[in-house]
Amino acid sequence: LVIGNSLLLLALSLVFAAPLARSLSLEQPYLPALIVLESFGMAMLTFYNSVLSVDYKYKEYLVLSLVYAVAGIGGSVLFSVEKEMRQDDTDAANACFTVGTLIPAVLVGIYVVIRLWRKDRPRISLEYWRYGMAISLPTVPHGLSQLLLNQFDRIMIKSIIGSTEAGLYSFAYNVGM
């Protein structure tokens, strides 16, 4: 179900790339697709970490989380240095930081899918899917409002002062948290 939803959202984000980028104030039209890919990876990591917790496989949980965190930070730093070395404002240079966290998320997502597929082939159960959707769909507006509330300070700083200041605030806020 997660894979199917991710593929559907990826297709929609590719078809409606330009309008989505404009409405989200994104400079590159392909960023919504990258966001969907990273969301897929994070969803699979969260799901698999839940499975590992239930199975008391804390060592694998720790190793997978550590590998993802180190790879995400390392990739972001590596691609940020690459961006600074380019000294230009191309789309590739602007997406460097995003790609640094995207690649580990997608690789972890693929690893989890392969790992779960080897353990037990997935089966489609419309009964379970209906049950899961009945519980999950009402929480979507709540989750979106939480996301907006958590990002509202950054959105206001960006719209009033600028992107650089919003980025500095976001960095300081994350370090503080």
Side-chain angles (χ1 to χ4, degrees), residues 33-116:
L34 296 181
I35 291 168
V36 170
L37 287 173
E38 188 167 359
S39 298
F40 160 75
M42 291 306 303
M44 294 309 298
L45 177 63
T46 302
F47 175 74
Y48 193 56
N49 279 344
S50 298
V51 170
L52 293 175
S53 294
V54 168
D55 292 341
Y56 297 109
K57 294 184 179 179
Y58 61 91
K59 289 180 184 176
E60 188 177 353
Y61 176 98
L62 180 65
V63 168
L64 187 61
S65 297
L66 186 64
V67 165
Y68 171 72
V70 169
I73 292 168
S76 296
V77 168
L78 180 70
F79 283 109
S80 294
V81 168
E82 165 71 14
K83 178 185 179 222
E84 291 302 318
M85 290 176 66
R86 286 180 184 223
Q87 295 291 324
D88 60 2
D89 201 19
T90 62
D91 286 345
N94 288 331
C96 286
F97 185 76
T98 305
V99 172
T101 58
L102 170 76
I103 292 171
V106 171
L107 291 177
V108 165
I110 292 169
Y111 167 79
V112 168
V113 169
I114 291 170
R115 187 98 162 127
L116 291 174

